[in-house]
């Protein structure tokens, strides 16, 4: 009998029969690069977006499998598929042989081995969470502390001419979405024309949020935002350059449309900076910027303590990493917005199980772990790196 068991009070031992501590060590780490074709060219103020990522499969000694995904986007995190594979191989050595429940320790060790590289770290960490959930026989959001089971996601209209964007917005509303996210960040005149065309096309009831992806200067941001007030825009993401903290603060101060920090906030330290400077009203959390579920939970905790609300956003990922993000939304009271729609732009959906979206409403899987798998036939087409 162990020391802990010897001191367990009678009333507790009668109710809780803890399983004896067992180690579940990682016996295999595989990285699968993938490329998915998009239905259309998706363009934002930072350039074109392509779905080239990495699936991660971890295997325990007992043969249990955990899945993760990296969705790198170089203009924001400096990562691409090739760098995810190169650093991923190094990080695999950190994960190999470790007990999956030492997750926070493994995350710290990955940071010690390689700075930055948040997307591939998120992929490995997400796969560990998947295993933790499967071993505990609980969905990941139960391990994190469940707050909600379902939530609304928006769907994005990418940069194009105003009439084409209005048509796309109408299509999104026909599909049942209640919130349209509009990419802007070019000339204020063109951006205002875009939002006007969309508001006219979809009416007053559908919510509109916008994302400038750093495309404006302090002056053009305010010019655009003041003109956009009449179109009932719920908030604007990242109006100015990610490093322009003072500009972000000034725009937030003078704009009646609330401002959300996205590219300015990657990890928890950035969230502290954002709070300290009063630089934005809201924060957009992404697993691919923060480095995983744990750090995304930390950002949300900072925001909540500062009485701020957050969105959970996405890069170009499939429903695999989006499902991991959905578990964070499910666990965080202050995450009241979601932008988990990137899979809708891919020609195929290679993920089975996972979060489901109907009429814009996301339901989080209630099966153990993340509740996702990569479709078997699609996996056969991939070569491990
Ligand atoms: Mg954004």
């Amino acid at each position: 009998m162990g020391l802990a068991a010897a001191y367990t009070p009678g009333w507790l031992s009668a109710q809780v029969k803890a399983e004896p501590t067992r180690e579940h060590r990682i016996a295999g780490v595989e990285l699968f690069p993938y490329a998915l074709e998009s239905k259309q060219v998706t363009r934002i103020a930072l350039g074109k977006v392509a779905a080239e990522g990495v699936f991660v499969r971890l295997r325990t000694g007992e043969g249990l499998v955990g899945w993760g995904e990296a969705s790198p986007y170089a203009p924001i995190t400096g990562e691409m598929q090739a760098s995810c594979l190169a650093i991923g191989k190094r990080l695999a050595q950190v994960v190999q042989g470790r007990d999956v429940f030492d997750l926070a320790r493994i995350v710290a060790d990955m940071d010690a081995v390689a700075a930055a590289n948040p997307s591939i770290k998120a992929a490995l960490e997400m796969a560990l969470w998947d295993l933790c959930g499967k071993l505990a026989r609980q969905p990941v959001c139960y391990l994190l502390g469940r707050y909600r089971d379902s939530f609304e996601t928006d769907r994005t209209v990418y940069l194009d001419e105003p009439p084409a964007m209005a048509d796309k917005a109408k299509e999104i509303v026909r599909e049942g979405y209640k919130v349209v996210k509009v990419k802007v960040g070019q000339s204020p005149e063109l951006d205002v024309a875009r939002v006007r065309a969309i508001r006219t096309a979809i009416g007053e009831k559908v919510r509109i949020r916008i994302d400038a992806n750093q495309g404006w200067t302090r002056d053009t941001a305010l010019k655009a935002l003041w003109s956009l007030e009449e179109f009932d825009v719920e908030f604007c993401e990242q109006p100015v350059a990610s490093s322009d903290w003072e500009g972000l603060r000034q725009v937030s101060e003078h704009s009646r449309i609330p401002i959300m920090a996205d590219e300015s906030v990657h990890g928890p330290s950035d969230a502290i900076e954002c709070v300290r400077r009063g630089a934005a009203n809201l924060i957009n959390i992404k697993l691919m910027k923060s480095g995983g579920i744990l750090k995304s939970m930390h950002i949300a905790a900072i925001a909540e303590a500062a009485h701020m609300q957050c969105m959970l956003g996405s890069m170009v990922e499939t429903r695999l990493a989006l499902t991991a993000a959905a578990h964070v939304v499910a666990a965080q009271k202050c995450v009241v917005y979601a932008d988990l729609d990137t899979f809708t732009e891919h020609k195929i959906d290679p993920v089975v199980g996972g979060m489901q979206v109907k009429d814009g409403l996301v339901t989080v899987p209630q099966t153990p772990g993340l509740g996702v798998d990569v479709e078997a036939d699609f996996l056969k087409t991939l070569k491990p790196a």
Side-chain angles (χ1 to χ4, degrees):
M1 184 182 282
L3 198 59
Y7 288 99
T8 304
W11 61 268
L12 183 60
S13 61
Q15 292 171 38
V16 183
K17 289 201 175 62
E19 291 215 1
T21 307
R22 239 188 276 135
E23 287 180 341
H24 301 279
R25 294 198 175 269
I26 300 297
V29 183
E30 291 165 291
L31 308 172
F32 297 93
Y34 72 77
L36 291 175
E37 276 185 64
S38 295
K39 290 177 190 163
Q40 52 162 6
V41 176
T42 48
R43 195 183 296 278
I44 67 173
L46 291 164
K48 272 193 241 170
V49 183
E52 293 175 357
V54 178
F55 287 131
V56 168
R57 181 166 66 182
L58 300 182
R59 202 184 289 277
T60 66
E62 304 94 330
L64 202 60
V65 162
W67 280 108
E69 179 186 7
S71 180
Y73 184 51
I76 293 178
T77 71
E79 298 170 280
M80 48 204 286
Q81 190 183 55
S83 72
C84 283
L85 293 173
I87 297 289
K89 283 177 194 169
R90 179 72 188 88
L91 297 175
Q93 296 168 0
V94 176
V95 176
Q96 181 73 27
R98 304 291 290 274
D99 185 344
V100 301
F101 285 105
D102 285 344
L103 189 147
R105 186 75 175 262
I106 298 170
V107 168
D109 290 346
M110 287 198 288
D111 285 341
V113 161
N117 294 285
S119 303
I120 189 63
K121 286 174 183 170
L124 287 156
E125 191 240 27
M126 180 188 307
L128 287 169
W129 278 108
D130 192 20
L131 284 170
C132 288
K134 283 170 178 166
L135 287 163
R137 298 195 181 91
Q138 299 294 339
V140 168
C141 61
Y142 284 35
L143 303 188
L144 301 174
R146 179 173 61 154
Y147 184 82
R148 57 174 78 82
D149 293 326
S150 63
F151 55 88
E152 207 78 53
T153 180
D154 61 34
R155 224 187 123 182
T156 303
V157 179
Y158 291 89
L159 292 181
D160 205 334
E161 292 304 313
M165 288 175 75
D167 286 346
K168 182 72 191 176
K170 270 200 282 193
E171 191 186 313
I172 288 170
V173 172
R174 269 200 302 271
E175 283 178 30
Y177 287 85
K178 314 285 189 296
V179 193
V180 174
K181 168 164 157 171
V182 183
K183 290 291 186 181
V184 291
Q186 295 183 313
S187 80
E189 294 74 19
L190 179 57
D191 289 333
V192 171
R194 285 168 165 146
V195 177
R196 177 183 288 118
I198 289 171
R199 180 53 90 201
T200 306
I202 64 177
E204 299 298 316
K205 281 196 191 135
V206 179
R207 286 149 66 195
I208 292 178
R209 55 186 65 152
I210 60 174
D211 187 356
N213 286 112
Q214 311 176 56
W216 293 324
T217 62
R218 300 174 190 192
D219 293 340
T220 53
L222 286 173
K223 189 176 177 200
L225 288 163
W226 289 338
S227 303
L228 287 167
E229 273 176 22
E230 62 176 297
F231 303 114
D232 191 17
V233 174
E234 67 175 351
F235 59 78
C236 171
E237 286 178 53
Q238 200 67 41
V240 296
S242 59
S243 57
D244 187 10
W245 280 112
E246 179 55 20
L248 193 61
R249 190 198 65 73
Q250 285 179 15
V251 173
S252 296
E253 189 181 23
H254 297 289
S255 167
R256 265 205 288 242
I257 295 172
I259 301 299
M260 176 180 280
D262 181 359
E263 289 96 314
S264 291
V265 175
H266 286 219
S269 305
D270 303 324
I272 298 254
E273 192 69 9
C274 188
V275 168
R276 197 178 62 78
R277 290 173 178 265
N281 310 84
L282 304 155
I283 293 176
N284 189 356
I285 304 171
K286 291 177 185 166
L287 301 185
M288 299 302 145
K289 291 186 298 175
S290 71
I293 290 173
L294 202 60
K295 287 180 183 169
S296 294
M297 296 286 286
H298 293 168
I299 296 171
I302 291 163
E304 185 163 329
H307 306 281
M308 289 174 77
Q309 292 183 317
C310 298
M311 178 157 86
L312 230 303
S314 46
M315 293 290 191
V316 210
E317 49 265 59
T318 69
R319 271 187 324 106
L320 201 163
L322 292 175
T323 298
H327 281 285
V328 176
V329 182
Q332 281 293 345
K333 180 181 162 209
C334 74
V335 179
V336 296
Y337 304 112
D339 173 30
L340 302 180
D341 65 334
T342 49
F343 75 99
T344 60
E345 296 299 333
H346 303 153
K347 274 192 184 162
I348 59 157
D349 178 353
V351 177
V352 284
M355 68 170 212
Q356 302 297 319
V357 187
K358 189 167 188 307
D359 297 331
L361 194 74
V362 178
T363 37
V364 185
Q366 303 291 302
T367 45
L370 294 173
V372 286
D373 255 309
V374 175
E375 207 262 317
D377 286 335
F378 181 78
L379 187 61
K380 278 185 207 149
T381 67
L382 304 181
K383 264 208 269 311

